[in-house]
Amino acid sequence: MSNGTDTAVAAGSGNTGDVTQLLRAYGGGDQAAFDRLVPMLYDDLHRIARRYLRRGRPGQTLETTGLVNEAYLRLVDQHRSNWQDRAHFLAVAAIAMRQIVIDYARKRAAAKRGGGERPLTLDELQIAVDEQAEQLLELDDALNRLAAINERLARVVECRFFAGLSEEETATALGSSLRTVQRDWRRARAWLREALDGGDG
């Protein structure tokens, strides 16, 4: 991956201890640790990317591998990042991918307004970037408004909805209890449903 966005990374088989050790090494200034870390989590990163692009029509210009590679470039620029463990890293990776997809959606929406896209359904946990650019931007705007009101709820959405982390992994990534995450996930979904339906949350 160190050769740029055109370089493919094969999936690795590191265990949780290896991942945590490499994250701490990178946080301590070992730049080479990141290139050893990414292959261990490549399958996880691809899984997150597929959640964004699962419903995109064949031939769309934003592809899974390209999204992973773009996220890699953004993450590697975060020098001395204080990633605690696998769940924390994947939550941050999901945020990076969200930013990339939103940038892409803005360009798509600017190029083609309207089009009769069907409404975005949060419960489906699927996003079609090309076909639902406007709805994705509406979701991003709603999520930003939620973060301004309650940042913790927004972080739970990023972990559960965008990163696809389990409730347990989300609790680990955010340093919260499982019960808190479960409650926050219900509250966040209810708030976003109302906001996306035209309410003010």
Side-chain angles (χ1 to χ4, degrees):
M1 180 76 72
S2 58
N3 292 331
T5 57
D6 293 331
T7 303
V9 177
S13 57
N15 59 39
T16 301
D18 293 334
V19 169
T20 301
Q21 184 177 9
L22 287 172
L23 285 169
R24 291 175 178 171
Y26 182 65
D30 182 359
Q31 298 297 315
F34 194 81
D35 282 339
R36 298 197 301 273
L37 170 72
V38 171
M40 295 180 181
L41 299 175
Y42 196 66
D43 286 343
D44 290 313
L45 294 173
H46 255 268
R47 173 179 53 81
I48 295 171
R50 283 195 298 271
R51 293 178 74 86
Y52 283 103
L53 307 176
R54 184 182 303 163
R55 284 199 159 191
R57 57 178 175 268
Q60 66 178 18
T61 55
L62 186 61
E63 301 290 349
T64 301
T65 300
L67 180 54
V68 171
N69 289 338
E70 285 293 326
Y72 165 86
L73 293 178
R74 295 199 182 193
L75 291 170
V76 79
D77 283 340
Q78 297 183 16
H79 300 302
R80 293 187 176 275
S81 296
N82 189 27
W83 296 318
Q84 300 300 315
D85 51 30
R86 170 185 169 275
H88 188 201
F89 175 82
L90 293 179
V92 175
I95 294 172
M97 290 189 195
R98 173 192 166 201
Q99 293 169 344
I100 294 165
V101 172
I102 290 301
D103 289 344
Y104 179 84
R106 286 197 181 102
K107 294 177 182 177
R108 295 291 298 179
K112 181 181 180 180
R113 296 292 178 179
E117 299 94 334
R118 68 175 183 80
L120 179 67
T121 303
L122 186 64
D123 286 340
E124 290 179 346
L125 302 183
Q126 297 172 336
I127 297 174
V129 180
D130 275 358
E131 297 177 353
Q132 298 188 43
E134 293 284 356
Q135 286 78 13
L136 180 56
L137 292 175
E138 290 175 6
L139 174 58
D140 182 67
D141 177 69
L143 190 56
N144 288 334
R145 286 188 282 130
L146 176 59
I149 297 170
N150 190 320
E151 185 174 359
R152 191 180 68 196
L153 295 187
R155 298 292 83 81
V156 169
V157 173
E158 287 173 338
C159 289
R160 296 285 286 126
F161 180 61
F162 290 103
L165 298 183
S166 67
E167 292 176 340
E168 291 80 6
E169 289 172 325
T170 299
T172 298
L174 299 181
S176 299
S177 69
L178 177 60
R179 181 171 296 182
T180 297
V181 167
Q182 291 171 334
R183 182 182 67 245
D184 287 349
W185 180 227
R186 289 193 297 269
R187 290 177 59 195
R189 283 188 297 174
W191 192 97
L192 288 171
R193 283 195 191 97
E194 182 178 348
L196 292 171
D197 285 341
D200 58 6

